[in-house]
Amino acid sequence: MTESCFDGLPGQIGVGECKGGTRTCDNGAWTPCIGQRPPLEESCDSVDNDCDGEFDEGLQINACGTCDPLCEADGAGVGSNHDWDVEGQGSDGLVENPEGGLELSSDSFDFTFLWIANSEEGTVSKIDTRTGAEVGRYVSALMLDLTMPFPLAPCDPNSLRPIGNCPSRTAVDLRGDVWIANRAFNSQGSVTKIAHRDCVDKNGNGTIETSRDANGNGTIELLDREEFLGEDDECILFTKKIGIGQSVPRALAIDPFAPVRGVGSVWVGAFSESRYYQLDAGTGELIRTVDVPHNPYGCIIDRFGSLWSIDLGSTNISYGPPRGLVKIVSRTGEVSGPIQVRGSNGCSGGYGITLDGADNLWVGAFACESVHRYTPSTDSWFTVKLPSGTGYARGVAADRDGWIYVGSSHTLDGDLLGHITRFRHEDGSQLNTFDFGRDSKGTIGVGLDYEGRVWGVNQATSSAVRLDPTTGATQHFPTGTGPYTYSDFTGYTLRNFTAPQGTYREVFTGCEGSDVAVWKELRWSASTPVGTSVSARVKSALTQEGLVTAESFGPYEESPADISGVPPGKYLEVEMILATDTPGVTPILWGFEAVWTCPPVQ
């Protein structure tokens, strides 16, 4: 690096000093020193020690851009001695391409948990899809004041007095956290957010106290304080009221695009108010309310950032006549519709709603054995008639391979059934119904896990059934009492069709011989075609175990990212997030590194 000078300006009179003697200013640059003593060797101090007109030359510049020996860095990916571990627990939804970069995978999104609302007891079950075991159970709402039902109060929709939170729809966000809509008939409706991984140490004792299967029997015992903590569970992040009493929150969907990518929002449809509430997905604070011309019963967000809401198709006059689909542009709140359901068999109702990979909307036609497909680009409807005797069509889900799955339960004469029917999304062909037998009755919800298996939620038998559609084999697992969920309860639709995303986590160890590293920067190299992004989150702790409860910082959207506001610590966990808005287009992460400084060794 060369020092400059200015002839004739105040303080720069054409003659200067260096550590070896004097020098002159010649055309704006210092000449070599005319020594009165031998020149000194360069040292890392931004000074011209050897009097040659340059400073710090020949010294190794470190990751901080200086030659400070206290500055360190470590990296992952291309250009480092670290290999990607795409099969490890820190990688989700990513593959390594032939050039050595990470990109989104079309078939490896990791949906290892499903979240089912147990309406009759006011709880939510977290079930491991790999084993079928219930690994956690939580109250569906914290009691904020006396306007709200008591947690665990039984649900009674016909009671004239407030009783029960009556949870139903659940929605899993891009980080695996879940939101629950509490209908709370004749009382204060609400939504609750429960953390999948980033729980909060609310009492400050250094330990996350949360529900767990302590005895390993595959179910959570509500009377066992070691397994079920009620309102004291530290993975229950918060509860927010929706409306002013008797709003009956039903429809629920995650919006990953607004207000900002990486945080997003949550849309909650209040049935009785004909209104949607848009909440900040991070804090739960209200962003806006949007009135709609129907009673929201279910909703989904498409990849263009539009919310599609369906009302209930029913002959029950207390619900009013079905009006069909309503569209809300999530960024602006602009409303259009309703679009009347035009079933070819005269059935115009709706119930569950989902999205497929071709941007079609699918609606379970409650009160008849049919499913309707709506194609927004052509404003056209198509009806698939289910086999006679399969029961009302309720929950509906689509997979990446073009199959549509429908949960059906009650028949017109009131008989309870347990069925899932599947068919091709293009034309309704290859129709096949899987009968669950007497062990699983009242199948309402249907969802998919990352291994391609299909899950049915059985209200009448308080169970979930796991179906292998290639063989027809089923397994039955207990839930809480009265499960009643038929929304995107694994996050499959969100992460495959709305906003495909993958993550990669790496833990860096800071300073050797010291517990405290001062974090400086996070840098990454990536290719981001239009419609894609790479961002990052970080957290720090003194121990690796402490990373579980540590506060998360970010998202950071641009490299290099200043992470000096992250608390000092021994370990830094970096989570890189790859996302796309365009099917078939993926960002590529080539590598990333963290930079920090260490205190002098005493």
Side-chain angles (χ1 to χ4, degrees), residues 273-561:
E273 296 180 336
S274 295
R275 177 175 297 159
Y276 270 90
Y277 292 79
Q278 186 184 19
L279 309 180
D280 184 287
T283 65
E285 297 304 312
L286 180 66
I287 297 172
R288 64 159 66 97
T289 61
V290 178
D291 292 333
V292 291
H294 73 180
N295 301 102
Y297 208 77
C299 63
I300 198 78
I301 304 280
D302 68 19
R303 67 184 177 90
F304 306 106
S306 294
L307 177 141
W308 294 89
S309 176
I310 189 69
D311 62 357
L312 176 66
S314 174
T315 57
N316 187 334
I317 61 173
S318 65
Y319 291 121
R323 296 182 177 89
L325 287 168
V326 170
K327 176 184 175 182
I328 303 175
V329 179
S330 65
R331 288 183 174 88
T332 65
E334 178 185 357
V335 177
S336 59
I339 303 167
Q340 180 66 45
V341 177
R342 300 190 297 270
S344 60
N345 58 354
C347 181
S348 60
Y351 203 85
I353 183 171
T354 197
L355 182 74
D356 69 17
D359 302 319
N360 298 306
L361 300 166
W362 291 87
V363 177
F366 183 64
C368 61
E369 296 174 328
S370 298
V371 183
H372 304 305
R373 183 187 73 198
Y374 177 66
T375 304
S377 61
T378 60
D379 187 31
S380 59
W381 290 90
F382 171 72
T383 298
V384 177
K385 178 74 170 64
L386 303 182
S388 179
T390 54
Y392 294 163
R394 294 199 172 189
V396 58
D399 72 9
R400 292 185 298 263
D401 298 323
W403 292 102
I404 305 297
Y405 296 88
V406 185
S408 53
S409 54
H410 304 72
T411 61
L412 294 175
D413 59 9
D415 287 343
L416 291 176
L417 303 171
H419 288 140
I420 285 180
T421 300
R422 82 167 183 173
F423 53 84
R424 298 298 302 172
H425 81 102
E426 303 95 339
D427 54 9
S429 63
Q430 302 182 51
L431 201 67
N432 185 26
T433 295
F434 302 91
D435 187 346
F436 295 154
R438 64 181 60 189
D439 292 331
S440 295
K441 296 290 187 181
T443 305
I444 292 178
V446 58
L448 297 115
D449 67 25
Y450 80 110
E451 292 182 338
R453 296 171 302 200
V454 185
W455 289 79
V457 178
N458 307 304
Q459 184 183 34
T461 52
S462 295
S463 64
V465 60
R466 185 174 66 191
L467 165 69
D468 183 342
T470 60
T471 65
T474 59
Q475 291 180 279
H476 306 264
F477 305 98
T479 64
T481 306
Y484 186 53
T485 296
Y486 49 91
S487 45
D488 188 17
F489 54 81
T490 64
Y492 184 99
T493 301
L494 176 70
R495 297 181 65 183
N496 279 274
F497 304 137
T498 303
Q501 174 177 297
T503 58
Y504 190 89
R505 291 192 299 273
E506 181 80 15
V507 176
F508 296 111
T509 302
C511 303
E512 296 295 336
S514 172
D515 287 337
V516 180
V518 178
W519 313 113
K520 305 292 288 186
E521 279 189 345
L522 180 66
R523 305 167 183 166
W524 63 87
S525 173
S527 302
T528 52
V530 175
T532 72
S533 68
V534 173
S535 59
R537 292 179 181 270
V538 301
K539 54 170 62 176
S540 174
L542 296 178
T543 65
Q544 288 194 343
E545 294 77 13
L547 290 171
V548 176
T549 61
E551 179 182 0
S552 179
F553 291 79
Y556 302 100
E557 309 259 340
E558 295 183 0
S559 173

Side-chain angles (χ1 to χ4, degrees), residues 168-172 178-182 190-192 242 249-255 266-270 276-277 279 296-301 307-309 353 487-488:
S168 176
R169 287 59 154 178
T170 66
V172 182
V178 67
W179 291 74
I180 306 100
N182 295 287
S190 65
V191 291
T192 296
I242 298 297
R250 276 183 161 137
L252 184 66
I254 305 296
D255 174 8
V266 176
W267 287 86
V268 187
Y276 270 90
Y277 292 79
L279 309 180
Y297 208 77
C299 63
I300 198 78
I301 304 280
L307 177 141
W308 294 89
S309 176
I353 183 171
S487 45
D488 188 17

Side-chain angles (χ1 to χ4, degrees), residues 66-196:
T66 71
C67 44
D68 182 357
L70 302 181
C71 180
E72 300 181 10
D74 195 7
V78 174
S80 74
N81 58 4
H82 183 98
D83 294 326
W84 298 119
D85 182 13
V86 293
E87 301 298 328
Q89 293 184 349
S91 179
D92 179 11
L94 301 174
V95 294
E96 185 174 355
N97 64 24
E99 291 75 34
L102 288 185
E103 60 184 40
L104 294 171
S105 167
S106 62
D107 58 3
S108 62
F109 290 105
D110 190 0
F111 304 98
T112 56
F113 297 97
L114 56 86
W115 301 79
I116 297 175
N118 305 305
S119 181
E120 292 183 21
E121 68 181 32
T123 67
V124 180
S125 291
K126 181 180 182 180
I127 295 177
D128 188 329
T129 61
R130 296 162 296 187
T131 64
E134 185 183 25
V135 296
R137 197 182 301 186
Y138 315 86
V139 294
S140 68
L142 302 173
M143 190 174 180
L144 304 180
D145 56 43
L146 293 177
T147 66
M148 300 183 65
F150 288 99
L152 299 183
C155 176
D156 185 359
N158 300 314
S159 174
L160 297 179
R161 60 187 180 88
I163 184 168
N165 281 299
C166 305
S168 176
R169 287 59 154 178
T170 66
V172 182
D173 69 19
L174 291 172
R175 295 183 61 77
D177 300 337
V178 67
W179 291 74
I180 306 100
N182 295 287
R183 295 168 294 167
F185 301 103
N186 297 313
S187 188
Q188 176 62 61
S190 65
V191 291
T192 296
K193 182 179 181 180
I194 300 175
H196 160 58

